[in-house]
Amino acid sequence: MRKPVLFLCGLFVTFFASSTAAQEKERKWHGEIEAFRGYVWGNDVHVGDFVVYSEEHIKLFRDVKYGAYYFPIITKPGGSFGMNYEASYKLGKRWSVGISGMSFYNKVALNEASGALLLCECVGDYGIHFWDHTLFALRNEANPDAPIPYWASNELLLWTANSFLRRTLKEGNSSRLSLGLGIKVGNLQNQRIEGQRHEAFIYDYFVGGLHFMNQVKLQSVSTTRFQLFGGPSVGFEGEARLWGFGLKASAEQAFLFADAYNKGHWTDVDEIHAMAGPQGGPFEDAGVMAVYDGETKFRSTQKMVFGATDLKLKINRSIKNRLDFGAGAFISMISGVTLAPRFSVPGEWSVGNGTAWVWGEKKNITIAGISLSAAVKF
């Protein structure tokens, strides 16, 4: 969807500029590309905890001291590279038309074993608390100390394109202030994945001395996708030059409308094997005895109204009034968007006891960072 939108906006700019060629003597194209390193705030997700439960029996089991330690598992976004861009055409002294936008992708992924989070001298049963439910390690006679592998990830994708008409409000010898009105479109996607593996092993479970092994995989995958959001935008831009350097600051606010498509898929796969061999191993797989494959799906659509704010500050240096090279900082904020839903098992593993998909929370997402830019005029 992105390429057709950009093409249509570019076609509009070219057509509009060409149609006024006979009336305007002063025409000036301006193209700029900006690479940035951006960091995300507001999308930290506390997906679960690593849990250690312990009991201490005192006075011949008449008194019991017990407790649990919880170590949070959080998908906290780091930095990623992205791009801002702008292309404009000047119509006379005060008017210009153009297109601007950004593209950004961020992903954080954890892939650990439960013992890696053991930050205290805890002794007891350990487990993973995902989906509002704690699962402790299964009985494993072949490897009693086996950790519980788990994984979690969170992806955020955002791109925007803003077609604008800009008018200079005030201009001096070395300064300029302008107002821009436009239509902003774009796409926002968020996906989160959480999962864990368990293994149970019991000696001499089947007839003939075969052992029981159950390999369990639990995973939830959920996505929120704004097919195409859009709405009006308004912004101010100011420029000043001093000692051969330029200072540019801009602020833009957009009011956006979209349909958010939400879906989730939770799976529970138990694969039971018969294993041959002496106790302690080595073992040989004697065949799959049974496979239990469960799933819970979720799909919905919701109307969204939200705001987008962009603030930029940049210092640049002009070379022969044709090339500009600069560095700056920016903040992009998206307010009140619902992100990917989550799976919840508050009671027993059954739908009747509350197992369900839960709507994602409304969040304010902020992307901020520093940038390097290059611009050309012709």
Side-chain angles (χ1 to χ4, degrees), residues 18 22 75 109 118 157 159 162 171 174 182 263 272 274 288 350-351 374:
S18 301
T75 53
L118 194 56
L157 171 66
W159 69 261
N162 185 40
E171 187 170 13
S174 58
K263 65 179 182 180
I272 300 173
V288 177
S350 64
V351 176

Side-chain angles (χ1 to χ4, degrees), residues 12-56:
F12 166 77
V13 172
T14 304
F15 175 79
F16 192 91
S18 301
S19 65
T20 59
Q23 304 174 18
E24 299 292 339
K25 295 182 179 180
E26 184 183 357
R27 302 171 238 174
K28 199 172 284 188
W29 285 96
H30 175 266
E32 181 174 357
I33 188 168
E34 191 175 66
F36 66 81
R37 176 76 171 176
Y39 295 84
V40 181
W41 283 266
N43 196 29
D44 297 7
V45 180
H46 178 199
V47 297
D49 305 273
F50 171 52
V51 185
V52 179
Y53 175 81
S54 63
E55 290 184 1
E56 182 182 355

Side-chain angles (χ1 to χ4, degrees), residues 126 137-149 198-203 212-213 279-281 283:
Y126 58 90
L138 301 177
R139 178 181 173 183
N140 192 328
E141 296 178 353
N143 188 7
D145 298 322
I148 304 173
H198 293 256
E199 184 173 284
F201 200 103
I202 302 175
Y203 287 130
F212 171 94
M213 183 179 71
Q279 293 191 13
F283 303 108

Side-chain angles (χ1 to χ4, degrees), residues 224-246:
T224 288
R225 177 172 52 87
F226 293 70
Q227 181 75 15
L228 183 68
F229 60 71
S233 66
V234 58
F236 289 91
E237 182 179 271
E239 292 184 73
R241 302 202 70 85
L242 182 64
W243 300 325
F245 289 90

Side-chain angles (χ1 to χ4, degrees), residues 233-266:
S233 66
V234 58
F236 289 91
E237 182 179 271
E239 292 184 73
R241 302 202 70 85
L242 182 64
W243 300 325
F245 289 90
L247 177 65
K248 180 186 288 187
S250 63
E252 180 186 276
Q253 179 66 48
F255 304 92
L256 305 171
F257 305 86
D259 289 329
Y261 299 90
N262 307 290
K263 65 179 182 180
H265 188 199
W266 182 82

Side-chain angles (χ1 to χ4, degrees), residues 9 46 55 102 116 123 131 137 140 173 188 228 241 243-244 246 252 275 311 318 340 345 356:
C9 293
H46 178 199
E55 290 184 1
M102 74 172 296
V123 177
W131 313 300
N140 192 328
N173 293 331
L188 174 68
L228 183 68
R241 302 202 70 85
W243 300 325
E252 180 186 276
M275 305 297 292
L311 305 174
S318 182
V345 189

